[in-house]
Amino acid sequence: MIGTLALIFFGLAFFLLLGGALIVLADSGARRAFRIALHRRVARLRPPRVAIVGDSLAAQCDWRSLGSRSFDVLRLALGGATLKDIGAQIVEARMMGARCFVIDGGLNDLLFDAAPLAQIEHDFRALLRRLPEDARSVLMLAPHVADPAQAPRIDAANRLMRGLAEARGLAVVDLQPRLSDGGARRPEMTDDGLHFSPLAATVWVEAARESLESLESLALERHSRDGLA
């Protein structure tokens, strides 16, 4: 009798939790919060393998290929995020034990906040300071948009961020030759002039994955040399 009641209670609890989860998952913002909350719990036992921080470009990509198990990839990127916001995402990822990062950002600062380069430099330096000293990180440079008039400012910001990132030891990925032509995003690489088409998102994720694998290979080689020394 007691066993039957326990089974009934367990079944009711399960369906209540499932129903609550389905309600939460109906809204994208709540869905993101729910997913991150689960990551926090899992991270107590197993930190994420890689954290994705950035704006809507990174948020819309499917990053599952960067991990082999559930919760390997922590996706914190969020539409509308500025460099300051992305710095906060890095802090949150560090709290969950992340030591490997894919970073994008800068377009919202340039296009919507009209931030001058001096502000971009200030905020990007602050972002880099939030990375762990031993972090393996990849910076995805900001892609051109459909309007070629924006290309000079995007290129200037990318040169600035590249220099700072490489000085900090980050790998830098520049996909302009594959995504753009004459300073404008190719039509097949965007759905609305700003965001990625499915093809562009696939190109971006694959480039990030290859760069991370190169960083991991270099780290293993360095570890082997240190072990033999």
Side-chain angles (χ1 to χ4, degrees), residues 37-206:
L38 288 178
H39 264 285
R40 289 196 188 100
R41 290 186 174 276
V42 173
R44 296 173 186 173
L45 300 174
R46 179 167 58 87
R49 179 176 180 270
V50 58
I52 311 299
V53 297
D55 53 30
S56 58
L57 295 180
Q60 74 176 101
C61 292
D62 184 350
W63 297 99
R64 287 175 294 180
S65 64
L66 271 60
S68 58
R69 299 182 295 179
S70 298
F71 300 99
D72 271 355
V73 181
L74 171 62
R75 293 180 291 120
L76 294 177
L78 182 65
T82 63
L83 292 172
K84 288 181 180 179
D85 299 325
I86 297 164
Q89 292 172 14
I90 291 173
V91 172
E92 185 169 10
R94 287 188 64 171
M95 292 175 64
M96 293 188 227
R99 289 295 180 273
C100 184
F101 296 82
V102 175
I103 305 164
D104 98 286
L107 278 185
N108 288 317
D109 305 75
L110 287 168
L111 302 182
F112 302 112
D113 290 354
L117 284 181
Q119 186 65 47
I120 298 288
E121 178 178 3
H122 177 274
D123 293 344
F124 190 68
R125 284 184 183 275
L127 180 156
L128 292 176
R129 287 195 295 270
R130 285 160 173 75
L131 289 169
E133 288 296 325
D134 59 347
R136 293 195 304 274
S137 303
V138 175
L139 172 66
M140 310 296 290
L141 292 180
H144 291 141
V145 295
D147 180 6
Q150 301 293 340
R153 293 191 72 229
I154 293 172
D155 292 340
N158 278 339
R159 285 193 296 270
L160 187 156
M161 291 191 292
R162 176 193 282 275
L164 294 173
E166 290 179 341
R168 178 67 167 72
L170 277 66
V172 178
V173 176
D174 182 3
L175 291 178
Q176 300 294 24
R178 298 181 65 181
L179 300 179
S180 306
D181 187 17
R185 188 90 59 84
R186 293 176 180 169
E188 70 272 19
M189 295 297 182
T190 182
D191 288 335
D192 59 5
L194 174 62
H195 297 98
F196 286 148
S197 66
L199 174 60
T202 299
V203 168
W204 235 46
V205 171
E206 181 61 19

